[in-house]
Amino acid sequence: MLFNAKLLALGEAAHINSGDIIYQLLWFIVLLALLRKFAWQPLMNIMKQREEHIANEIDQAEKHRQEAEKLLQEQRELMKQSRQEAQELIENARKMAEEQKEQIIASARAEAERLKEAAKKEIEREKEQAMAALREQVASLSVLIASKVIEKELTEQDQAKLISEYIQEVGEGR
């Protein structure tokens, strides 16, 4: 009997009430509809807004990165140009210094040449003056010696002739 009582209890427990199931299923569908309307849709809207916000942030970050790269490239170009201009300035200064050096050297050489020529002319002039003074002294002494040697008086023509001959001999002796 115990066995029969257990089967009977199991049969009653196994009996399913279809009205309760339909009632619970109906309330479950209503609950799902309410959740969809009041919770699911706002939640999806928030998720969509968040997704759009993140996409906008990514786009802005990409734009900022591109702008930064553009500015970096511009800065590199400016630095390159600045270096090139500085190099050109240095090269121009070097060329100008070289030109000035050459001009100074050429000027110094010209001045030295001019001084050398002036000194040569001065030496030549002094030489000519010394020769003229020497001729005059030699002529005077010659006339004096000749007049004493000959012991006669010479005429001016004879004296000039003797002086000329003596000067020629002295000039050839140099």
Side-chain angles (χ1 to χ4, degrees):
M1 232 156 107
L2 195 55
F3 182 70
N4 279 342
K6 282 186 180 178
L7 279 177
L8 193 55
L10 185 63
E12 284 180 17
H15 176 47
I16 298 175
N17 188 356
S18 59
D20 283 342
I21 291 176
I22 291 175
Y23 181 74
Q24 287 179 359
L25 185 63
L26 186 63
W27 275 112
F28 182 72
I29 290 172
V30 169
L31 181 63
L32 280 179
L34 288 175
L35 279 175
R36 180 174 180 167
K37 181 168 178 109
F38 293 111
W40 184 258
Q41 195 64 30
L43 184 62
M44 290 308 284
N45 287 339
I46 290 172
M47 293 298 281
K48 187 173 183 179
Q49 287 175 353
R50 180 70 179 152
E51 181 182 339
E52 289 173 359
H53 177 71
I54 290 171
N56 286 338
E57 290 294 322
I58 290 171
D59 289 343
Q60 286 181 354
E62 182 64 24
K63 286 178 185 176
H64 290 305
R65 186 189 63 77
Q66 289 175 352
E67 288 177 15
E69 284 181 6
K70 182 180 176 185
L71 289 174
L72 178 64
Q73 188 64 29
E74 288 175 2
Q75 289 299 321
R76 285 180 180 163
E77 282 295 319
L78 287 174
M79 288 295 283
K80 184 178 177 182
Q81 287 176 350
S82 296
R83 285 185 186 129
Q84 189 175 12
E85 288 173 5
Q87 189 65 28
E88 287 174 4
L89 287 175
I90 290 169
E91 190 62 32
N92 287 340
R94 188 176 293 132
K95 285 179 183 177
M96 287 177 60
E98 188 66 29
E99 289 173 4
Q100 286 179 347
K101 179 182 104 174
E102 293 298 323
Q103 288 176 352
I104 290 170
I105 290 171
S107 176
R109 285 184 179 155
E111 182 66 18
E113 191 63 33
R114 187 187 65 77
L115 289 174
K116 184 178 167 184
E117 289 299 318
K120 282 182 180 179
K121 287 179 183 177
E122 182 67 24
I123 290 170
E124 191 63 35
R125 189 177 56 80
E126 291 289 329
K127 181 180 169 185
E128 290 297 325
Q129 285 178 352
M131 289 296 286
L134 185 61
R135 284 182 192 136
E136 285 179 26
Q137 287 179 357
V138 168
S140 303
L141 287 173
S142 299
V143 170
L144 184 60
I145 292 172
S147 63
K148 286 188 179 182
V149 169
I150 299 176
E151 293 194 6
K152 68 173 188 174
E153 282 196 29
L154 295 173
T155 63
E156 279 187 37
Q157 281 182 338
D158 291 337
Q159 187 178 357
K161 185 178 176 184
L162 282 172
I163 290 171
S164 295
E165 289 173 3
Y166 184 73
I167 289 175
Q168 283 180 350
E169 289 176 17
V170 171
E172 289 173 5
R174 289 193 289 147

